[in-house]
Amino acid sequence: MLWLTALILWTSVSHSCGSDLQFPSWFKFGAATAAFQVEGAWNVSDKGESNWDRLTHRYPEKIADGSNGNDACNSYYLWERDIEIAAELGLQFYRFSISWPRLLPTGFANNISEDGKNYYNNLIDGLLEMGIQPVISIHHYDMPQMFQDLGGWTNPKIADWYAEYARVVYSLYGDRVKYWITINEPTLTCDWYYGQAILTPEREYYVGPYLCNKNLLLGHAKAYHIYDQEFRNKYNGKVSIANHLMWLMPYSNSTEDQELTEATMQFLNGRYTQPVFSKEGGWPAVVEQAVAKVSKEQGYSESRLPPFTQEEIELIRGTYDYLALNHYTSRLVRKRRPFEDVVQSLFSYVADLDAVLEMDPSWPFGYSELMSIYPRGLREIMLWVKQQYGDVEILITENGYSTGGSSLEDDARISFVRDHLEQVILSIEEGVNVTGYIYWALMDNFEWTSGYNSKFGLYEVDFSVPERTRTPRKSAEYYAQVIKKRSL
Ligand SMILES: *[C@@H]1O[C@H](CO)[C@@H](O)[C@H](O)[C@H]1NC(C)=O
Ligand SMILES: *[C@@H]1O[C@H](CO)[C@@H](O)[C@H](O)[C@H]1NC(C)=O
Ligand SMILES: *[C@@H]1O[C@H](CO)[C@@H](O)[C@H](O)[C@H]1NC(C)=O
Ligand SMILES: *[C@@H]1O[C@H](CO)[C@@H](O)[C@H](O)[C@H]1NC(C)=O
């Protein structure tokens, strides 16, 4: 350990002398998108209908600007330009996702779309030719509508349907893809889309998110084991799940707020992380107890949080080769005040703990008011991961800043990236095993319920023309410089 201490002393001294903040030679940079958000071409060839096609077409009022992904960035046609801008930035990673209904029009592995298969083959091969490694999310929110009709992630059969789809993806692309993400942001997939009445017609946040939580972890685990047993020897890639982890701090120094904060960390972060990454597996005890207690008070005959069998705990435990971390925002946690009126929301109120999540008024935010900015939260959450689960390799797979309107002058985004990357360097010096940073997003795109209003892109996209012209913002030039110099 002595050499490590010496190294830390040396590097901290070198900062105070004003030299550049330097990234280690092995550290990699990337940018990300996801299929539904950029591809468009929603009904071409034999592509099946996705749950997000249906949602945006039938309930446009759920989308801020009433828009949809029919054309999005037209990346289905403009993938060569996407590779070109990734290369302009000097990226080492491009993270994107595969559209399940584009690849498997029936949802099942009995019919692989030729056009779907070729689209991703072209994209992967084109990236590799430019020396850019693909990082692929197998499932990023969109699934065949047929499965959504059957309950989506709340139907226990979905774990097998998903795993079968994952096997097809590995078998088609595993020879060239070394970083896999099974499922993007289970917290949003379950707690947000099933809990906020977005994907489900009636408001139901008591049972749906927990069923989704369990089935989704089983689906992830099955997909991991398929890779492990059928592909790892040949391809030697790495598989993870991309967890959206928020950093939480107590609102006050009272013991009550401190304990509540720890419980909320387990509720929002641990519920999707502990079953996979901890030594013991299973639900965090504090969550299990809280949901059982509240369920009983509400007159349910059993806890709304479905238990795992011992066999399921073993199936899920240890199903990772690294941790894919998405991080945007932090919160302060306190108990709900008597008679305080609150609405259940992933970002502001946890009903089963009666915990209110607040933003510190001193934290700035971009266009998205949910994403208040506290760069140190990124470092804190990585330290928390290390402390809870040990020295797992962390790849930051999302972190980004939103603007509204049209502007290429995005100094606030530059500060955001700079401040977060500084925290990454400090984390490395503190012994956190973080090996890369993938910015969200490569370009403006369909930001789910925000539609096209919220713009996270390093490249601005002109959605008013069919060419969907991609133009670098000031932040793109900044990020390219960081990647080139490997320092801040
Ligand atoms: C595909 O959807 C568009 C709307 O985005 C519609 O105009 C077009 O007719 C559809 N094409 C087919 C083949 O259904
Ligand atoms: C698979 O897709 C093709 C083309 O759409 C179609 O002709 C065929 O009937 C499908 N097969 C199955 C098993 O669904
Ligand atoms: C909690 O205590 C620490 C150390 O005494 C202090 O720096 C901090 O401001 C306190 N936080 C709050 C929210 O009161
Ligand atoms: C970081 O993770 C990688 C990949 O799992 C591992 O090989 C390496 O030993 C880890 N490094 C540290 C310092 O724990």
Side-chain angles (χ1 to χ4, degrees):
M1 279 323 272
L2 192 60
W3 63 270
L4 187 60
T5 317
L7 183 68
I8 289 167
L9 281 175
W10 176 78
T11 43
S12 39
V13 167
S14 75
H15 295 166
S16 54
C17 295
S19 74
D20 284 351
L21 290 160
Q22 196 72 36
F23 290 94
S25 57
W26 40 261
F27 192 85
K28 293 196 167 105
F29 296 92
T33 61
F36 188 82
Q37 298 178 267
V38 299
E39 285 177 7
W42 80 279
N43 59 358
V44 307
S45 183
D46 51 353
K47 177 180 169 291
E49 184 188 17
S50 79
N51 55 349
W52 276 87
D53 293 321
R54 178 71 64 88
L55 172 75
T56 52
H57 294 158
R58 198 165 283 184
Y59 305 103
E61 69 279 6
K62 291 190 187 247
I63 311 299
D65 57 1
S67 67
N68 54 53
N70 288 0
D71 302 307
C73 303
N74 260 335
S75 284
Y76 184 73
Y77 301 106
L78 300 174
W79 55 273
E80 285 169 297
R81 175 65 181 144
D82 293 347
I83 296 169
E84 197 173 80
I85 66 178
E88 281 168 15
L89 287 167
L91 301 185
Q92 291 150 307
F93 283 141
Y94 177 44
R95 178 185 171 213
F96 61 94
S97 79
I98 291 185
S99 158
W100 186 347
R102 188 182 300 288
L103 190 63
L104 304 182
T106 67
F108 292 99
N110 63 1
N111 207 340
I112 300 174
S113 162
E114 270 305 303
D115 286 348
K117 184 175 91 180
N118 292 339
Y119 173 66
Y120 299 109
N121 266 330
N122 289 336
L123 181 55
I124 292 167
D125 291 343
L127 287 166
L128 290 172
E129 270 171 37
M130 299 306 294
I132 302 166
Q133 269 196 71
V135 175
I136 295 190
S137 316
I138 299 171
H139 174 70
H140 193 126
Y141 299 168
D142 54 336
M143 69 159 62
Q145 176 60 31
M146 192 232 344
F147 292 140
Q148 191 66 53
D149 287 339
L150 295 171
W153 284 108
T154 65
N155 183 331
K157 274 304 290 175
I158 192 78
D160 290 317
W161 297 330
Y162 165 75
E164 213 182 292
Y165 157 56
R167 177 186 280 114
V168 173
V169 174
Y170 299 141
S171 66
L172 293 177
Y173 309 120
D175 55 339
R176 288 154 288 161
V177 178
K178 299 306 162 194
Y179 275 91
W180 291 105
I181 291 164
T182 54
I183 298 167
N184 181 65
E185 292 184 352
T187 323
L188 276 289
T189 302
C190 296
D191 292 30
W192 187 251
Y193 293 116
Y194 289 87
Q196 305 291 135
I198 293 165
L199 282 174
T200 44
E202 69 285 345
R203 196 171 182 82
E204 199 293 281
Y205 46 72
Y206 287 114
V207 178
Y210 294 133
L211 291 175
C212 172
N213 192 164
K214 176 176 174 177
N215 296 330
L216 182 150
L217 289 174
L218 287 168
H220 156 79
K222 287 178 184 205
Y224 180 89
H225 289 298
I226 287 172
Y227 190 84
D228 210 35
Q229 287 157 17
E230 302 171 26
F231 300 94
R232 187 182 298 283
N233 280 346
K234 274 185 286 187
Y235 300 145
N236 201 27
K238 295 184 185 193
V239 182
S240 180
I241 186 167
N243 276 343
H244 174 275
L245 302 183
M246 271 197 266
W247 173 243
L248 306 175
M249 287 174 284
Y251 183 82
S252 80
N253 279 335
S254 73
T255 311
E256 188 191 40
D257 280 357
Q258 289 180 2
E259 285 174 3
L260 188 62
T261 301
E262 279 171 37
T264 311
M265 284 291 283
Q266 291 302 337
F267 190 92
L268 291 178
N269 301 323
R271 192 152 41 89
Y272 295 95
T273 312
Q274 163 153 325
V276 175
F277 294 90
S278 72
K279 295 207 166 47
E280 63 279 16
W283 299 122
V286 62
V287 173
E288 222 162 21
Q289 285 154 14
V291 183
K293 178 168 165 281
V294 177
S295 301
K296 198 169 169 199
E297 285 163 8
Q298 291 167 334
Y300 288 92
S301 58
E302 58 184 10
S303 175
R304 288 177 281 101
L305 184 71
F308 286 121
T309 64
Q310 194 55 40
E311 201 183 338
E312 287 168 340
I313 290 176
E314 296 307 322
L315 184 79
I316 297 170
R317 195 169 61 98
T319 51
Y320 67 89
D321 301 311
Y322 69 102
L323 185 143
L325 166 67
N326 292 5
H327 174 80
Y328 288 90
T329 189
S330 297
R331 288 289 184 279
L332 304 174
V333 181
R334 63 170 171 80
K335 202 80 179 168
R336 187 176 58 89
R337 297 182 181 121
F339 311 110
E340 184 179 1
D341 209 13
V342 284
V343 176
Q344 158 88 15
S345 157
L346 171 60
F347 294 100
S348 59
Y349 180 59
V350 174
D352 277 320
L353 296 173
D354 206 20
V356 173
L357 311 178
E358 278 197 12
M359 299 184 242
D360 187 306
S362 73
W363 297 340
F365 47 83
Y367 180 82
S368 167
E369 292 174 13
L370 292 176
M371 303 296 181
S372 60
I373 298 159
Y374 179 63
R376 199 189 160 111
L378 175 58
R379 175 160 144 226
E380 298 286 0
I381 198 70
M382 290 197 284
L383 282 172
W384 183 81
V385 165
K386 180 182 162 87
Q387 171 245 322
Q388 297 272 313
Y389 313 116
D391 265 325
V392 49
E393 175 190 350
I394 299 174
L395 176 61
I396 297 165
T397 40
E398 279 185 36
N399 177 240
Y401 181 85
S402 60
T403 48
S406 165
S407 171
L408 298 175
E409 296 289 314
D410 56 346
D411 294 291
R413 181 173 286 108
I414 292 175
S415 306
F416 179 97
V417 172
R418 197 215 153 270
D419 293 349
H420 283 81
L421 284 175
E422 179 180 40
Q423 295 297 321
V424 170
I425 291 182
L426 294 172
S427 305
I428 294 171
E429 289 168 1
E430 284 168 347
V432 169
N433 198 358
V434 52
T435 56
Y437 176 90
I438 298 180
Y439 177 80
W440 181 272
L442 176 63
M443 59 189 151
D444 297 342
N445 58 63
F446 176 80
E447 281 292 341
W448 310 109
T449 50
S450 306
Y452 297 97
N453 288 350
S454 189
K455 300 169 186 301
F456 281 86
L458 295 167
Y459 277 67
E460 181 170 82
V461 176
D462 183 353
F463 292 101
S464 69
V465 295
E467 300 77 33
R468 295 294 191 271
T469 316
R470 288 109 160 98
T471 309
R473 291 199 166 100
K474 203 169 158 187
S475 59
E477 284 155 39
Y478 170 77
Y479 195 46
Q481 277 306 309
V482 170
I483 297 172
K484 195 167 168 208
K485 291 189 310 184
R486 308 192 57 77
S487 68
L488 292 178

